[in-house]
Amino acid sequence: MSSYIVLTAVGTDRPGLVDEISSFLAARKINIEDSRMAVLGGEFAVILLASGAATVVDKLESDLGPLEKSTGLAMQVKSTLAPHQRKVAPSIPHRLAATSMDQPGIVHEITRILHRRNINIESMETRVANAPLSGAPIFHMKCVINIPVGEKASSIRKELEKLGDKIDVTIELEAVESFP
């Protein structure tokens, strides 16, 4: 029977980090099932879901020292459920996208509405990029959210549009068949 862990690692970016982490796990016959990796500023960050034999996964945390030393990354391991064991209230996945001139508080204002309505965020990515001609900082947000059955997407859409008008953010919400 497989055990599941979430491994997180953060530290100074350099080429080869993903190879070193994946090699370490593969040598122990631990499978990477899901992962997100990014360079933020000069820092590399990874969060991944992995599975393997319970005896190997259970001692993984005590084996991380050499990997942390060779990569320079701070690592943490946490046991978790298999994805199919996760209990989730019935919901409908939606994609939410927001764009505007960058300003503090956009993420908070949008997520406050989602929180009030008990909407879970499955994934979220935000980025500030300079507009091609003007160079103005433009904020972009992409999320996959789960709207509980019983909540009306049209009502949520109206509340988000009202917020968008208030803080000058374009917010789009659409149902999706499955997670990206």
Side-chain angles (χ1 to χ4, degrees), residues 10-38:
V10 178
T12 303
D13 184 44
R14 66 169 174 76
L17 291 173
V18 176
D19 177 43
E20 291 178 55
I21 294 167
S22 61
S23 173
F24 176 84
L25 295 173
R28 287 155 180 78
K29 298 194 182 329
I30 295 175
N31 185 44
I32 298 173
E33 297 204 8
D34 199 354
S35 67
R36 305 291 182 277
M37 302 177 201

Side-chain angles (χ1 to χ4, degrees), residues 94-165:
H94 283 70
R95 191 170 291 119
L96 184 150
T99 307
S100 75
M101 295 291 289
D102 190 34
Q103 58 184 297
I106 299 170
V107 172
H108 171 65
E109 293 292 339
I110 293 171
T111 60
R112 179 181 3 200
I113 290 171
L114 302 178
H115 180 210
R116 265 197 327 257
R117 293 194 174 238
N118 202 33
I119 296 171
N120 195 46
I121 300 170
E122 286 291 323
S123 66
M124 180 169 71
E125 181 178 330
T126 64
R127 179 177 315 266
V128 175
N130 294 332
L133 298 176
S134 69
I138 306 296
F139 171 82
H140 301 275
M141 175 184 201
K142 293 179 184 178
C143 303
V144 174
I145 61 174
N146 287 326
I147 298 178
V149 171
E151 282 283 348
K152 293 185 178 180
S154 60
S155 172
I156 296 163
R157 190 175 287 110
K158 286 177 186 171
E159 190 173 357
L160 290 168
E161 286 172 0
K162 185 177 174 181
L163 171 66
D165 290 343

